[in-house]
Amino acid sequence: MGDLLDKQQGHTVTDKDIYRQHAARYESEFLEDMDALGCRRPDVMTRVSEYMTEIVEYIQTIMSNKMAYESSGSVHFDTQAFRGAGHVYGKLNPWAVGSAALAADDPDTRQGNGEKRHPTDFALWKAAKPGEPSWDSPWGQGRPGWHIECSAMASRIIGEQLDIHSGGEDLRFPHHDNELAQAEAHYHTCGCQQWVNYFLHTGHLSIEGLKMSKSLKNFITIREALASDFTGRQLRLMFALSPWDRPMQYGQQAADEMKAKESLFRNFFQNVEVVMRQHQTVKHTSKWDEGDGKERGLAKNIQQAQQRVHEALLDNLNSKAALDALLDLVKDTNKYLADRQGNTQGPPSQPFLVRKAAAYVTRILSIFGISAAAPDQLGFGGEAAATASANEGAAKYLDAFALFRDTVRSMAKSNKSAGQILAACDRIRDETMLELGVRLEDRGDESVWKLEDPAVLRREQQAKQQDAAEQKLKKLVSAHNKKQAELVRLQKLVQLPSIQEATKDKFSKFDADLNPTHDREGNQLDTKVLL
């Protein structure tokens, strides 16, 4: 219906506020999505409609430099004059220049009514059409072309040269190549031959192996991803673990992998927190044990991880290799802690050393936007338990402790069994402490607590309950199938003929125990015939 109304009455829309309100809705949603992903707000937000004067002036400068021309109320960039002035057109994708297929994707490079002097020329200003917003210009009412606003606004904010410019791989040509041409033509008298020093063209997103596209009906928004398979942190992990310049796979398998890696990091931070909390330096030796060399080995692993991360980021911003180094350090540290904690008679874990590993992992994750921890914090940061005031946080836990104490005292006075008291212990672990964001883990005769997001604990509990329910269902189905097979076997036995019927060609009479007593002719048998 919308397409039909637009076709029939779209030409009557002239109020610019309608277009602005439409764009404002998606602008607001975009900023909310970026916040949900943990992206920082930009220093400047540019809107084309607010830079119309600058865009017109930018085009006029290009025309003054003899690299653009007016035709039927539109202005086109003159690629041949640009080349003649000593510039190179199509730097990023030279083999695509003149490609009819790629040009067809760009509405501003189409031939159109003979307005252009050369097929590779493209529009800087488009003459007004019914149903499109338009602005005043020296060439009449119209609107900017597809590429010019980027060059004009970026130049206005940053100046005559950009260090880094990013965008999707599909924008390499014609969009970015045309941006370069416009800017170099605009700054021609300044001797500009290279408007951008580095381009970062990101790979496409693939959904279950296919490029995401509305035509394929596999299009998914950030909000849909956050509402279904991923958290914001898990999405950022997926981005960082994918080479930025290659296609990235999105799907359930990727979601499961990111949840597992996030859990690995989280458990690591929690293990370190337990060590920091339980080991007081004044009560334990701080000298490294040289017998097994485990402390020196972990220190070496930390140094190697730092070196690997540094080299990875120098190698084309290889965030995947950097995160792989962090994951290896996490595993090395966890192994060190397991070895030390598993030997109660041996030397203790060294809290300062494991904290150094956790601090470095936190720092790199913060650089990647995966952790929101403050400079003096370890872990992902941002948990409610870390931001609540001391009084408010303590009250919740003390209330839970007092209630549990009342429960145990009441059960003891009522001579409840040990099993019932243990069940009460399980309830405070699985219900009360869960809602307070505390993970209680049983380690032999001791318990260890870790702070966690209650939502994460709920999801884990739901997953365990679902798994238990599925296992129970499997057992019930298996028992049912066995009973069903037994029933079929018995039904087959019922359908078998009786002993008398089956042996009537040999015997004619039988005793109470169904043993034959007479043969087929009626003669009594001398001895019993056992069947």
Side-chain angles (χ1 to χ4, degrees):
M1 179 61 73
D3 292 340
L4 179 63
L5 290 174
D6 187 55
K7 182 177 180 180
Q8 293 178 346
Q9 303 181 34
H11 65 282
T12 65
V13 179
T14 58
D15 187 356
K16 291 189 181 69
D17 285 341
I18 294 176
Y19 299 102
R20 176 67 201 122
Q21 291 171 12
H22 181 73
R25 170 193 168 189
Y26 292 103
E27 179 183 297
S28 176
E29 289 186 1
F30 168 77
L31 291 175
E32 291 173 1
D33 290 346
M34 293 302 100
D35 290 342
L37 291 178
C39 297
R40 296 175 181 174
R41 290 294 178 97
D43 295 332
V44 181
M45 178 176 289
T46 56
R47 302 186 183 102
V48 176
S49 58
E50 297 175 355
Y51 282 79
M52 206 56 63
T53 299
E54 288 80 2
I55 291 172
V56 169
E57 292 174 352
Y58 206 87
I59 295 173
Q60 287 179 309
T61 299
I62 296 175
M63 295 184 74
S64 298
N65 291 336
K66 309 298 184 184
M67 297 184 206
Y69 55 90
E70 187 270 339
S71 176
S72 302
S74 296
V75 178
H76 291 85
F77 188 86
D78 192 333
T79 55
Q80 302 308 299
F82 179 71
R83 285 171 167 150
H87 296 279
V88 177
Y89 178 64
K91 292 179 178 179
L92 301 177
N93 203 353
W95 49 88
V97 176
S99 168
L102 289 175
D105 290 335
D106 179 5
D108 294 343
T109 59
R110 295 172 188 158
Q111 187 66 33
N113 302 321
E115 295 179 0
K116 299 194 301 181
R117 297 176 181 174
H118 191 273
T120 58
D121 293 353
F122 55 91
L124 302 178
W125 185 266
K126 302 278 284 186
K129 293 181 180 179
E132 292 182 354
S134 61
W135 289 263
D136 291 330
S137 80
W139 318 286
Q141 285 282 309
R143 62 168 179 81
W146 178 27
H147 318 285
I148 191 64
E149 68 270 13
C150 298
S151 300
M153 293 188 298
S155 296
R156 183 70 176 181
I157 299 301
I158 299 176
E160 63 183 73
Q161 190 169 57
L162 279 63
D163 192 27
I164 300 175
H165 191 324
S166 64
E169 172 65 26
D170 52 339
L171 296 180
R172 184 188 296 266
F173 181 87
H175 185 55
H176 287 162
D177 266 324
N178 287 352
E179 277 189 60
L180 286 174
Q182 292 164 163
E184 290 176 15
H186 178 270
Y187 290 114
H188 174 70
T189 56
C190 301
C192 178
Q193 292 288 328
Q194 182 170 294
W195 185 53
V196 175
N197 290 331
Y198 303 97
F199 268 96
L200 301 181
H201 289 108
T202 57
H204 289 135
L205 177 64
S206 294
I207 308 293
E208 302 292 359
L210 296 174
K211 177 184 173 183
M212 186 172 75
S213 170
K214 286 186 176 180
S215 62
L216 295 176
K217 298 182 179 180
N218 65 346
F219 189 85
I220 185 168
T221 65
I222 292 173
R223 295 191 175 199
E224 290 170 343
L226 293 175
S228 56
D229 299 323
F230 291 88
T231 64
R233 183 183 297 130
Q234 290 162 3
L235 273 178
R236 291 192 75 105
L237 264 174
M238 183 178 73
F239 298 153
L241 282 166
S242 301
W244 63 267
D245 56 345
R246 299 178 186 175
M248 183 176 68
Q249 296 295 329
Y250 175 98
Q252 188 57 50
Q253 180 179 351
D256 293 340
E257 290 176 359
M258 294 311 110
K259 290 174 184 176
K261 285 182 170 55
E262 181 190 38
S263 179
L264 182 62
F265 278 121
R266 181 185 292 109
N267 290 335
F268 163 70
F269 291 130
Q270 292 172 343
N271 291 336
V272 173
E273 287 174 1
V274 170
V275 173
M276 299 297 296
R277 190 167 62 241
Q278 290 183 337
H279 289 70
Q280 298 183 27
T281 306
V282 295
K283 294 183 178 181
H284 296 88
T285 178
S286 60
K287 182 179 180 181
W288 289 2
D289 183 76
E290 299 295 347
D292 56 19
K294 292 188 182 299
E295 281 73 28
R296 200 164 297 281
L298 180 57
K300 183 177 180 181
N301 290 336
I302 296 172
Q303 292 177 339
Q304 289 175 341
Q306 293 172 333
Q307 184 63 27
R308 286 174 60 190
V309 170
H310 180 70
E311 292 174 355
L313 296 182
L314 289 179
D315 182 16
N316 196 27
L317 296 177
N318 193 341
S319 58
K320 181 183 184 305
L323 278 178
D324 286 342
L326 294 187
L327 288 166
D328 287 342
L329 178 58
V330 165
K331 295 173 184 176
D332 291 336
T333 308
N334 282 339
K335 185 178 185 305
Y336 165 79
L337 291 175
D339 290 342
R340 282 286 180 252
Q341 293 166 355
N343 182 9
T344 57
Q345 303 303 317
S349 304
Q350 292 297 327
F352 293 158
L353 182 60
V354 296
R355 192 187 191 286
K356 179 179 180 180
Y360 181 70
V361 173
T362 301
R363 177 188 166 211
I364 300 303
L365 291 181
S366 298
I367 291 173
F368 288 157
I370 296 169
S371 169
D376 59 342
Q377 282 185 324
L378 301 179
F380 288 132
E383 286 85 356
T387 57
S389 69
N391 290 337
E392 292 174 341
K396 296 183 296 183
Y397 304 111
L398 292 174
D399 287 343
F401 173 75
L403 179 61
F404 177 63
R405 179 177 180 272
D406 292 342
T407 300
V408 173
R409 291 180 70 239
S410 176
M411 295 178 75
K413 290 178 181 179
S414 302
N415 295 319
K416 298 294 184 181
S417 67
Q420 291 173 307
I421 295 177
L422 289 174
C425 293
D426 290 342
R427 282 196 298 273
I428 193 171
R429 178 194 64 194
D430 299 335
E431 298 174 12
T432 307
M433 302 310 287
L434 181 147
E435 293 301 326
L436 292 176
V438 177
R439 183 197 301 276
L440 279 177
E441 296 180 354
D442 296 331
R443 292 186 179 178
D445 294 332
E446 297 181 351
S447 295
V448 171
W449 61 267
K450 301 175 181 178
L451 295 181
E452 183 58 275
D453 184 350
V456 172
L457 295 176
R458 291 190 204 102
R459 286 196 296 267
E460 290 180 357
Q461 187 183 67
Q462 290 170 358
K464 290 180 181 178
Q465 291 173 346
Q466 182 178 352
D467 183 63
E470 290 175 354
Q471 294 300 322
K472 183 178 180 180
L473 179 60
K474 287 181 180 179
K475 290 181 179 179
L476 290 174
V477 170
S478 177
H480 172 75
N481 291 339
K482 289 181 180 179
K483 292 291 186 183
Q484 190 71 22
E486 180 66 13
L487 178 60
V488 171
R489 188 183 70 83
L490 293 175
Q491 287 175 338
K492 289 181 178 179
L493 288 176
V494 170
Q495 294 172 359
L496 292 174
S498 65
I499 292 177
Q500 298 93 323
E501 184 67 24
T503 60
K504 64 181 181 180
D505 59 332
K506 296 180 180 179
F507 310 105
S508 59
K509 291 183 180 181
F510 300 81
D511 62 16
D513 294 327
L514 297 180
N515 291 312
T517 58
H518 294 74
D519 62 16
R520 185 176 59 180
E521 284 77 19
N523 299 317
Q524 187 172 358
L525 300 174
D526 294 334
T527 59
K528 287 186 177 180
V529 177
L530 298 179
L531 298 179

